[in-house]
Amino acid sequence: MLYAVISALGWALESVVCAYGMKSGNVDPEMALAIRELSSFVIYASFIIPVFCEGYSGVLDVLTSMSVIWLLLTACVGVFSYLAWYKAIDTIGASRGVSFNITYSFWAIVFSWIMGNGEFSLKLLGCCLLIIVGVSLAVGKPKDVLLQT
């Protein structure tokens, strides 16, 4: 539970810092994403990989295997997703942007089912909808979250 709370706080803090940085109009969503990704790379390369992973030999193993194709494809999808999220934060604010970003739980179910490896159940769909509704209620009035553009 502690790691989940830390993750949720970091995720929320990211959207608030991002919105604050773009508020002046001098930083556009693409620039904010570049700053985020560069700082993430520096932290991973200088701290996470050397301390918590196998070190750089594991990175070289991935980069020299066929997995690098899937890694690049996933990275492209991730960039598009983050650009859309940062644009939403810039356009409608951090709290509403978070409420739209949480829909990934729904899309994860859809894509895992389409690709043939995921299971679909009403319980899973219900839990997904509870997450989306819960976050939407937590960030503001439901009418404002759904109807304001």
Side-chain angles (χ1 to χ4, degrees):
M1 287 299 291
L2 176 64
Y3 293 126
V5 169
I6 291 170
S7 177
L9 288 174
W11 182 49
L13 184 60
E14 176 184 1
S15 64
V16 170
V17 169
C18 176
Y20 180 77
M22 292 187 294
K23 188 176 185 177
S24 68
N26 295 331
V27 177
D28 59 7
E30 294 83 6
M31 188 183 300
L33 181 59
I35 294 168
R36 184 247 189 244
E37 292 299 329
L38 181 61
S39 61
S40 178
F41 170 77
V42 168
I43 296 296
Y44 271 100
S46 63
F47 182 70
I48 303 294
I49 292 173
V51 174
F52 295 104
C53 299
E54 295 177 20
Y56 298 108
S57 64
V59 173
L60 291 175
D61 290 342
V62 171
L63 292 177
T64 58
S65 72
M66 290 303 293
S67 298
V68 76
I69 295 169
W70 287 109
L71 184 65
L72 290 173
L73 179 64
T74 305
C76 288
V77 171
V79 165
F80 178 74
S81 172
Y82 265 103
L83 279 174
W85 183 38
Y86 277 38
K87 184 63 177 171
I89 291 170
D90 189 37
T91 304
I92 62 176
S95 62
R96 290 185 186 102
V98 168
S99 68
F100 285 113
N101 190 43
I102 197 64
T103 63
Y104 71 81
S105 60
F106 170 76
W107 293 112
I109 294 169
V110 170
F111 285 121
S112 67
W113 183 70
I114 289 173
M115 293 179 181
N117 296 333
E119 294 183 25
F120 177 80
S121 70
L122 290 178
K123 179 180 178 183
L124 187 61
L125 184 61
C127 290
C128 173
L129 291 175
L130 280 174
I131 292 169
I132 293 170
V133 169
V135 169
S136 296
L137 291 173
V139 300
K141 298 177 200 169
K143 182 175 78 172
D144 291 343
V145 170
L146 296 174
L147 299 178
Q148 191 166 13
T149 57

